[in-house]
Amino acid sequence: MSRWAAQLCWSILGTYVAIAVGVWCGLWGQNYDLAGGPKWGGISSDYWLGTNLIGQDIFARSLTSVATALQTGLMVGGLATMAGALAGACAGYWRGRWPDRILLWLMGVIDAIPFVLLAAAIAYALGAQFIAVALAMILTLWVPVARLVRAETQKLRTMPYVESAQIIGVSPVLIILRHILPNTWHLLMAQGLLVMVAALKAEVVLSFLGIGSQASVSWGVMIAESTQEVASGRFNNFLAASIPLFGLVFVLGSLADFFQSRRAGDSRASGPMQA
Amino acid sequence: MRDYLLKQSLNAVALMIGVTLLSFSLLVYFGPDQTYSLLGKNPTPEQIASVHQQLGYDQNFAERYLDFLKRMLVLDLGYAQSSGEAVSSLLARTSMISLALLLPGFVLGHALALLLSMLSAQYQGRWPDRLISMASMVSMSTSTVVVIIALQWWLSSSGDSGWFPVRGWSTDSVIDYLRHIAMPTLALVLVSVGYHIRIYRAVICEEMGQDYVRTARAFGAGPVVVLFRHVLPNCLLPIITRVVFSVPLLLVSGSLLLESYFGIPGIGKVSFDAITNGDQPVLLAIVTFSGVALVLVQNLADALYRWVDPRLRVQT
């Protein structure tokens, strides 16, 4: 990706962040659940993108969804990437020994259960609430990160500087934290962004299944609402959710590519999951 | 060989224990209390106690887990809460429908992705490559749900030719079958092809940079011969990995969303209903068996690698 394209991506991402900050500060998108307008109202000066079935402001709902998406993405992306980095580094450092075996087994088990079904099972146990969704996402999305970091750690472990540190008696924990993980930085950035992408796309599927936070609004909730509307020719809700969703996912994916291409010659790393 | 088989089966058994342990804990042990769904109104304490005993609530975790394993082994999966049908027959009946629905799209998606990524690798850095990479990025960024809704709108608005039904399922004749799978297949290909291309392109590009490719070219081999005779066989390993790991996508996002939107009575629709209604016996069977099936498929793939690539047989 060219420098110019990367800058464009960063500024689009910045716009999303600015919108979310505005929502968090209470500047806009606050009345997203106020059902004050007409049923399926058209575009007007009061309702910039019209209203939905029960008269809620679609524009406000889409703005609030930006904040929801970034909250979910940052939380899931951050936690899953951190967990994956630590687990992967430990597995790679003690390759073939028991920490590696246990972690590989755990990853194999989680990989074997399809994401949506695992999420459904967790939601069944905990009840359909935000924590169930977040837990399901983190529980599945740390695995691909860990696999990549494990492979990278195996390479780094044989580097002279790691061997020197081992010889002068630096503890393994310090070696992992200070000498190995910092060198996986580009990998982690790319993976973190891809985890965010996966979380955003998974959220749409889970909302459609009725698993997820009922208290707030998200693009997934809006798309689920719009399923019936589109068939009868009402596109406001559908477009107001799917276009910004596509934009954010596209930008995050492109930035992940950018970080990946800055690592020497390894473009094989793939997205953590698809939904 | 015997060592390999032993190691591999031990590994598979360990994974299956993990999968069943997870599904048992989430759906049975820590799941909601089933007592009252089995009892009528105003149950007596004796009735409650007898149901508790029947469900095993008076036993500890290990006893209940072993009991669960026993029932899974003999396929005693209970009855669906919604329809009362035996879960084993429900799954057997509906999984065939899903297979018929998804297989064409699965094969087409991978075949198309392979062709496009070979084209992309052939013109690396030039406009066909850029175009294909861009298209794959767009495909990856689009949510399956959005694609399905848009396709259904397009179907229902573009003059009611009735050729491709928006909902329903029929396998009365080959024509009928093809009509019903056309749109779901298109949707499946659209959303999966981007991810496949991404991986295949990277694999093929890496292989194209190898010395043997340069040598083949120097000997005057054309691009088609180089790609199909030299590069493709050497890419088989990552390609098999990709195909195997896209099975969960097929199983879940594929069947679940496609079948519930297009009204097709396959296993995805059954899962959708079980998830939205909290139908525990069905959910338990689907989660457990998809996990076990995937472990089997992945182990099979591992055996396949060794068959495809003789180098692996020497290493271990």
Side-chain angles (χ1 to χ4, degrees), chain A residues 105 112 114 124 201 235 257 274, chain B residues 14 34 140 198 242 252 294:
Chain A
W105 173 78
Y124 182 79
K201 290 181 76 182
F235 301 106
D257 262 13
Q274 30 188 290
Chain B
Q34 297 291 312
M140 284 192 291
R198 154 70 46 116
R242 180 63 199 159
V252 181
L294 277 173

Side-chain angles (χ1 to χ4, degrees), chain B residues 13 43 149 195 263:
Chain B
V13 169
I149 295 179
Y195 283 95

Side-chain angles (χ1 to χ4, degrees), chain B residues 159-177:
Chain B
D160 197 13
S161 63
W163 254 98
F164 301 115
V166 179
R167 291 184 75 78
W169 180 248
S170 156
T171 47
D172 292 343
S173 67
V174 178
I175 302 286
D176 248 10
Y177 165 64

Side-chain angles (χ1 to χ4, degrees), chain A:
Chain A
M1 181 161 47
S2 68
R3 196 185 190 87
W4 180 83
Q7 272 169 1
L8 184 70
C9 285
W10 281 118
S11 47
I12 296 174
L13 186 61
T15 314
Y16 277 100
V17 172
I19 292 173
V21 169
V23 173
W24 290 325
C25 296
L27 296 178
W28 47 64
Q30 298 303 303
N31 295 325
Y32 68 88
D33 59 351
L34 192 72
K39 176 182 178 181
W40 283 324
I43 291 171
S44 66
S45 57
D46 286 339
Y47 302 103
W48 291 4
L49 291 176
T51 54
N52 67 4
L53 170 68
I54 56 170
Q56 293 167 325
D57 185 354
I58 290 175
F59 184 63
R61 287 171 77 74
S62 193
L63 285 183
T64 313
S65 300
V66 176
T68 313
L70 286 180
Q71 263 162 273
T72 316
L74 283 174
M75 192 184 87
V76 172
L79 289 176
T81 311
M82 273 199 285
L86 280 176
C90 289
Y93 190 84
W94 286 292
R95 185 184 168 207
R97 312 247 291 276
W98 65 265
D100 187 32
R101 291 200 178 174
I102 291 178
L103 282 165
L104 276 183
W105 173 78
L106 196 61
M107 293 189 231
V109 169
I110 291 170
D111 269 350
I113 300 183
F115 167 73
V116 177
L117 293 181
L118 185 65
I122 292 175
Y124 182 79
L126 298 179
Q129 44 183 333
F130 179 69
I131 188 77
V133 174
L135 196 66
M137 288 180 184
I138 294 168
L139 210 59
T140 37
L141 294 175
W142 70 272
V143 175
V145 183
R147 285 195 194 280
L148 283 173
V149 173
R150 176 175 178 269
E152 191 70 17
T153 306
Q154 281 176 27
K155 273 186 238 158
L156 291 174
R157 210 176 64 128
T158 56
M159 291 282 177
Y161 68 87
V162 175
E163 282 177 350
S164 319
Q166 282 169 332
I167 289 166
I168 59 169
V170 180
S171 79
V173 177
L174 266 186
I175 292 180
I176 287 173
L177 289 180
R178 229 194 246 152
H179 301 291
I180 289 179
L181 282 180
N183 282 303
T184 59
W185 170 247
H186 284 303
L187 184 81
L188 291 181
M189 278 305 284
Q191 288 302 305
L193 290 168
L194 290 174
V195 170
M196 287 179 75
V197 166
L200 290 177
K201 290 181 76 182
E203 197 270 334
V204 178
V205 179
L206 295 183
S207 298
F208 167 68
L209 294 171
I211 305 168
S213 150
Q214 313 292 324
S216 183
V217 66
S218 68
W219 290 320
V221 169
M222 292 173 71
I223 291 174
E225 279 174 4
S226 72
T227 302
Q228 300 305 319
E229 299 173 1
V230 171
S232 54
R234 293 173 217 282
F235 301 106
N236 296 14
N237 222 354
F238 178 64
L239 294 178
S242 53
I243 291 175
L245 170 69
F246 174 82
L248 185 55
V249 168
F250 190 88
V251 163
L252 290 174
S254 305
L255 285 174
D257 262 13
F258 176 67
F259 278 107
Q260 244 159 23
S261 65
R262 280 173 47 176
R263 292 177 65 240
D266 182 21
S267 50
R268 204 185 283 188
S270 64
M273 74 148 256
Q274 30 188 290

Side-chain angles (χ1 to χ4, degrees), chain B residues 160-201:
Chain B
D160 197 13
S161 63
W163 254 98
F164 301 115
V166 179
R167 291 184 75 78
W169 180 248
S170 156
T171 47
D172 292 343
S173 67
V174 178
I175 302 286
D176 248 10
Y177 165 64
L178 291 178
R179 278 177 49 209
H180 281 89
I181 64 162
M183 280 299 142
T185 301
L186 182 60
L188 188 62
V189 170
L190 281 179
V191 294
S192 64
V193 81
Y195 283 95
H196 300 336
I197 287 180
R198 154 70 46 116
I199 289 160
Y200 290 159
R201 182 187 171 279

Side-chain angles (χ1 to χ4, degrees), chain B residues 180-249:
Chain B
H180 281 89
I181 64 162
M183 280 299 142
T185 301
L186 182 60
L188 188 62
V189 170
L190 281 179
V191 294
S192 64
V193 81
Y195 283 95
H196 300 336
I197 287 180
R198 154 70 46 116
I199 289 160
Y200 290 159
R201 182 187 171 279
V203 169
I204 294 172
C205 280
E206 197 180 297
E207 210 57 44
M208 298 265 279
Q210 303 281 337
D211 289 344
Y212 71 85
V213 174
R214 202 188 49 196
T215 310
R217 282 201 185 121
F219 274 92
V224 176
V225 173
V226 168
L227 270 174
F228 281 88
R229 227 181 41 236
H230 301 289
V231 172
L232 206 54
N234 281 303
C235 296
L236 264 183
L237 218 68
I239 289 173
I240 296 175
T241 313
R242 180 63 199 159
V243 171
V244 169
F245 277 88
S246 69
V247 171
L249 163 80

